[in-house]
Amino acid sequence: MPKAKFLLLAALITCLIGTGCGSSCTKTTAISTGDLSSHFDGNWIYENKELGVSFNLPNEWFLQTSLGRIQYYVPLSKNAPEDMVRQKTLTLADAQANKGTLFTIRDVKPEEGTGAAISFALTDVQPKGEENADLTIGSQHLKAASAKTSRGTTTLTVYKNYGCFDLKIFVEYATPEQLEKIKLLLATVKL
């Protein structure tokens, strides 16, 4: 009898780890992308009530966005169009197709030099690579994967799980001062 219990327990653990055993995640499972808005005083706020995420974006930074293949940068010191996050929900199929980028903010425009950047995206659940760094976001200390790029910058990638989805926070910086700017901003995030 103990051998049968062990085999049943092993099968259950394999099922839970490998397949999700009845997981309700399907291609049409959807999650809110939240709202990115500004107020008359120029303060931009990102809020996602479903994820419990909110924070103020710094006035002196730029929102990186695109229209087709053209990248442009909106100063966060100006009022935002109300539809900056155009897609209100994201399906798991879209997340798996890398269509879950919410927004990217930069401290300088690329033509002004290499600056600090923070991107927020919703992805399907990602396998965790080598997590060789720490990053504090709000009051949470999360493990991050750190890497050097060919451009001479350093990246940190953090994933926070929300069931069928991961919130991916990707930061890039070239100097210790830029990393400090990023850390100060991420300290204000409520997760």
Side-chain angles (χ1 to χ4, degrees):
M1 192 67 168
K3 186 175 181 181
K5 285 181 183 179
F6 173 76
L7 290 174
L8 181 60
L9 181 61
L12 181 61
I13 290 172
T14 302
C15 182
L16 290 172
I17 292 173
T19 64
C21 251
S23 169
S24 61
C25 299
T26 67
K27 297 273 186 193
T28 59
T29 300
I31 194 166
S32 170
T33 56
D35 293 305
L36 182 63
S37 61
S38 67
H39 300 275
F40 64 93
D41 60 1
N43 287 318
W44 289 47
I45 297 170
Y46 173 73
E47 184 174 34
N48 188 318
K49 291 179 182 173
E50 187 174 344
L51 302 181
V53 175
S54 67
F55 65 99
N56 293 334
L57 282 68
N59 278 350
E60 63 277 3
W61 288 43
F62 298 86
L63 176 77
Q64 177 182 329
T65 189
S66 61
L67 185 58
R69 294 180 182 234
I70 300 170
Q71 294 286 318
Y72 61 99
Y73 302 88
V74 178
L76 293 175
S77 59
K78 297 186 177 181
N79 283 341
E82 291 304 313
D83 64 347
M84 288 307 294
V85 177
R86 291 178 183 91
Q87 191 174 337
K88 295 301 178 191
T89 60
L90 180 80
T91 66
L92 192 53
D94 288 337
Q96 291 168 336
N98 294 321
K99 295 180 182 176
T101 300
L102 300 174
F103 59 91
T104 299
I105 56 173
R106 299 182 159 282
D107 68 339
V108 297
K109 295 178 184 178
E111 59 266 17
E112 296 172 5
T114 305
I118 307 172
S119 294
F120 296 84
L122 287 166
T123 68
D124 57 333
V125 176
Q126 298 293 304
K128 306 305 179 258
E130 181 184 345
E131 294 173 321
N132 52 2
D134 294 308
L135 193 60
T136 300
I137 301 173
S139 62
Q140 295 188 24
H141 305 287
L142 302 172
K143 290 291 187 185
S146 176
K148 297 283 187 190
T149 69
S150 60
R151 297 183 306 280
T153 60
T154 301
T155 63
L156 294 169
T157 307
V158 171
Y159 293 97
K160 176 147 175 59
N161 184 260
Y162 291 91
C164 300
F165 296 88
D166 278 349
L167 174 64
K168 176 183 177 182
I169 301 172
F170 177 83
V171 303
E172 184 173 16
Y173 61 94
T175 67
E177 294 80 20
Q178 291 170 348
L179 177 59
E180 285 308 309
K181 280 176 146 178
I182 290 168
K183 285 181 176 180
L184 286 173
L185 174 60
L186 291 178
T188 68
V189 174
K190 294 180 181 118
L191 280 181

